[in-house]
């Protein structure tokens, strides 16, 4: 395709830029980093291609691919462009037959996070650092004026508002579906996740095999994270097959009559746009008289599985994107109070001292890209602690599970009187190994590594 374009003398445009030599990263005062400027300009416009190895006269001169430093290219994008532009692809293309000339193609998608600013230097006024937002008009690059920057921010915020509205719509739709298919006295945990950035247009739709593989991997990962080998986990172990839906895959044991089971109702949806829906009946096999039973153990397990599934599905759709997650407990019997049950010595018992509200507010959290096991566990706890706290049976941040429960963190003794923080520091400073303790307000830092 590149050779054909060169032969046809295809002129540069707002989405095509011919480059004869690889970028130079030596800092020169008063000169903008050309690579960062070109990447930001195309992302701020409508995306495009930077093709290295073609001269200004549109002749295929080639480059030495062995000198391409992708690490340097990515580092420049991260350090010089704000906010970071994800999904940029680097394609090293060798000539047919391997005799050259070779080329490098940088594929830049249109960004939903525009405007992107390039950090640069001006030789005027004592070599000051500046920010500019470049964009392209035909084959030229310009810098946004104030009103253009304001308009770009308005467009970004409008897209983000649309994302939040879509998440609420998914949550409401899923709630309507499960309540219409269940006993009116049952409570349902409904979880909806949404990518903070849209899936790139060229990413193919999720296949059935990928959807079924995601369900299997979800259970394996949840078991590893929680340390709980219980095979009665509500979601992944009961749903092994998916069926096609409208721009999504659906797995359920309650929507199709010939697949309906008398066990706990489950609904899972994996949307092609990265959305994940997980719904679970929290009242199955429990009786609470004129109240609505809530199985808090199932709530925690499903919250963990939903977070893991959202992370797995995100990796297939848009790996560099954060995930917004919202959970709510819904019931059609709004006149009944919610009564929490907990597993106690092998049997389900009422939670002593718990509250019995008629409704609970939704809880939300955000899962960052590149989440490790600790981050997934902490995110699941934060998601489940909203409804759990509303019922008066929330727990401290988990470090694992014991018999399906989230154990409490150990509490340090309070030695002496006076300031508790100084007392703890004096106490720990004199212990073996000279341990240092940093006291932090619970929940002030969402990074589990920092908490630990």
């Amino acid at each position: 395709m590149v050779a054909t374009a060169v032969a046809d003398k295809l002129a540069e445009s707002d989405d095509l830029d011919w480059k004869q030599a690889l970028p130079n990263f030596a800092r020169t005062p008063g000169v903008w980093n050309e690579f960062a400027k070109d990447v930001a300009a195309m992302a701020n416009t409508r995306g495009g291609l930077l093709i290295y190895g073609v001269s200004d006269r549109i002749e295929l001169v080639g480059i030495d691919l062995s000198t391409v430093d992708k690490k340097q290219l990515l580092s420049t994008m991260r350090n010089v462009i704000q906010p970071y532009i994800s999904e940029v692809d680097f394609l090293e293309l060798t000539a047919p037959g391997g005799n050259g000339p070779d080329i490098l193609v940088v594929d830049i998608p249109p960004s939903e996070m525009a405007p992107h600013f390039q950090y640069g230097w001006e030789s005027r006024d004592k070599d000051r650092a500046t920010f500019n937002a470049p964009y392209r008009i035909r084959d030229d690059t310009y810098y946004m004026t104030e009103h253009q920057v304001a308009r770009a921010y308005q467009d970004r915020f409008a897209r983000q508002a649309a994302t939040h509205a879509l998440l609420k719509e998914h949550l409401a739709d899923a709630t309507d579906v499960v309540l219409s298919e269940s006993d009116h006295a049952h409570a349902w945990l409904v979880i909806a996740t949404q990518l903070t950035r849209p899936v790139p247009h060229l990413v193919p739709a999720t296949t059935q095999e990928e959807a079924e593989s995601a369900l299997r991997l979800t259970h394996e990962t949840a078991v590893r994270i929680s340390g709980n080998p219980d095979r009665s986990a509500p979601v992944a172990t009961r749903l092994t097959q998916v069926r096609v839906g409208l721009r999504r895959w659906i797995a359920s044991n309650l929507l199709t009559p010939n697949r309906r089971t008398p066990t706990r109702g489950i609904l899972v949806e994996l949307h092609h746009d990265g959305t994940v829906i997980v719904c679970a009946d929290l009242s199955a096999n429990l009786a609470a008289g004129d109240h609505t039973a809530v199985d808090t153990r199932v709530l925690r397990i499903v919250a963990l599985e939903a977070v893991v599934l959202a992370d797995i599905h995100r990796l297939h759709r848009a790996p560099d994107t954060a995930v917004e997650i919202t959970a709510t407990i819904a019931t059609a019997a709004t006149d009944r109070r919610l009564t929490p049950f907990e597993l106690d010595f092998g049997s389900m018992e009422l939670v002593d001292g718990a509250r019995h509200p008629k409704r609970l507010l939704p809880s939300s959290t955000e899962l960052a890209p590149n989440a490790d096991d600790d981050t997934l566990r902490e995110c699941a706890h934060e998601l489940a602690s909203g409804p759990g706290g509303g019922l008066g049976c929330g727990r401290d941040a988990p470090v694992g599970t014991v018999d399906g429960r989230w154990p409490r963190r150990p509490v340090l003794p309070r030695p002496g009187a006076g300031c508790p923080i100084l007392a703890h520091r004096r106490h720990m400073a004199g212990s073996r190994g000279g341990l240092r303790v940093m006291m932090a307000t619970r929940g002030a830092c969402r990074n589990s590594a920092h908490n630990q």
Side-chain angles (χ1 to χ4, degrees):
M1 292 175 62
V2 173
T4 301
V6 170
D8 294 341
K9 300 297 181 181
L10 183 63
E12 292 184 336
S13 62
D14 60 353
D15 61 352
L16 175 63
D17 196 353
W18 301 118
K19 299 288 185 181
Q20 180 168 335
L22 290 171
N24 178 18
F25 295 106
R27 178 183 174 275
T28 303
V31 177
W32 293 91
N33 184 297
E34 286 297 312
F35 176 71
K37 182 185 73 173
D38 293 333
V39 171
M42 286 193 170
N44 283 336
T45 309
R46 59 175 184 137
L49 301 174
L50 302 177
I51 301 181
Y52 293 89
V54 179
S55 68
D56 292 337
R57 293 188 294 178
I58 315 183
E59 295 176 349
L60 196 59
V61 296
I63 60 168
D64 183 0
L65 290 178
S66 65
T67 62
V68 175
D69 189 347
K70 289 185 180 180
K71 184 177 181 180
Q72 177 67 63
L73 296 172
L74 289 171
S75 176
T76 298
M77 290 172 50
R78 290 189 179 276
N79 296 330
V80 183
I81 301 175
Q82 294 293 334
Y84 174 68
I85 303 172
S86 63
E87 303 297 335
V88 174
D89 201 4
F90 300 91
L91 307 174
E92 297 180 356
L93 303 182
T94 57
N99 297 322
D102 303 330
I103 59 175
L104 172 68
V105 177
V106 181
D107 185 3
I108 306 158
S111 177
E112 299 293 328
M113 295 298 293
H116 295 274
F117 288 81
Q118 177 204 2
Y119 180 74
W121 300 86
E122 288 184 351
S123 57
R124 298 173 301 176
D125 196 13
K126 298 183 180 180
D127 192 20
R128 65 181 180 180
T130 62
F131 273 101
N132 275 311
Y135 71 104
R136 288 180 69 87
I137 299 179
R138 294 184 293 276
D139 59 342
D140 291 327
T141 299
Y142 300 88
Y143 296 105
M144 292 185 182
T145 60
E146 182 182 10
H147 77 273
Q148 289 175 313
V149 171
R151 177 60 183 271
Y153 274 120
Q154 289 174 356
D155 292 342
R156 183 207 286 185
F157 297 150
R159 289 190 294 268
Q160 292 175 340
T163 298
H164 291 306
L166 184 59
L167 180 61
K168 291 182 180 180
E169 181 179 340
H170 284 312
L171 199 68
D173 290 344
T175 300
D176 290 341
V177 169
V178 295
L179 291 184
S180 65
E181 296 289 341
S182 68
D183 189 310
H184 77 284
H186 281 207
W188 282 79
L189 175 63
V190 182
I191 301 175
T193 78
Q194 180 77 25
L195 302 182
T196 57
R197 297 181 182 179
V199 175
H201 297 295
L202 297 181
V203 175
T206 305
T207 65
Q208 182 175 0
E209 292 75 17
E210 289 174 340
E212 292 176 348
S213 175
L215 288 176
R216 291 191 295 270
L217 184 57
T218 292
H219 178 64
E220 296 172 3
T221 305
V223 168
R224 185 188 75 246
I225 291 176
S226 66
N228 177 19
D230 186 0
R231 300 300 296 178
S232 65
V235 177
T237 56
R238 301 190 183 189
L239 303 176
T240 57
Q241 294 182 340
V242 299
R243 62 182 180 86
V244 66
L246 181 60
R247 295 188 293 276
R248 71 195 72 178
W249 293 101
I250 301 174
S252 175
N253 61 359
L254 60 92
L255 296 182
T256 306
N258 60 353
R259 294 184 181 178
R260 197 177 186 102
T261 65
T263 58
R264 187 181 312 279
I266 300 292
L267 171 65
V268 173
E269 296 181 359
L270 298 178
H271 295 231
H272 298 330
D273 67 356
T275 299
V276 173
I277 303 294
V278 176
C279 306
D281 186 352
L282 298 180
S283 303
N285 306 318
L286 293 176
D290 59 352
H291 287 197
T292 298
V294 175
D295 190 330
T296 57
R297 172 178 171 274
V298 172
L299 188 155
R300 293 190 295 272
I301 294 176
V302 173
L304 178 60
E305 289 190 318
V307 169
V308 171
L309 183 58
D311 185 57
I312 293 172
H313 193 46
R314 178 261 305 276
L315 293 176
H316 284 298
R317 311 305 297 155
D320 292 335
T321 302
V323 182
E324 293 184 5
I325 309 176
T326 299
T328 186
I329 293 181
T331 177
T334 55
D335 58 326
R336 292 173 176 245
R337 294 189 176 276
L338 300 172
T339 302
F341 283 74
E342 182 63 81
L343 184 67
D344 191 11
F345 296 103
S347 62
M348 300 301 297
E349 302 291 342
L350 285 170
V351 178
D352 292 336
R355 295 189 291 271
H356 298 168
K358 288 189 176 181
R359 69 183 186 92
L360 295 170
L361 295 176
S363 63
S364 298
T365 185
E366 182 173 298
L367 181 63
N370 304 318
D372 57 12
D373 287 358
D374 288 335
T375 304
L376 294 173
R377 185 187 300 115
E378 189 73 18
C379 184
H381 166 74
E382 186 173 358
L383 191 66
S385 64
L391 293 168
C393 53
R395 297 178 183 270
D396 291 336
V399 294
T401 60
V402 178
D403 296 330
R405 289 172 173 260
W406 299 111
R408 297 180 182 272
R409 286 186 181 274
V411 179
L412 292 174
R414 183 176 179 176
C419 174
I421 295 180
L422 295 178
H424 277 301
R425 294 183 65 177
R426 288 194 298 267
H427 171 72
M428 298 304 294
S431 64
R432 182 180 302 175
L435 295 176
R436 297 177 61 193
V437 175
M438 178 181 69
M439 302 289 290
T441 302
R442 175 175 176 261
C445 179
R446 300 172 74 175
N447 187 321
S448 61
H450 290 180
N451 286 337
Q452 289 175 349

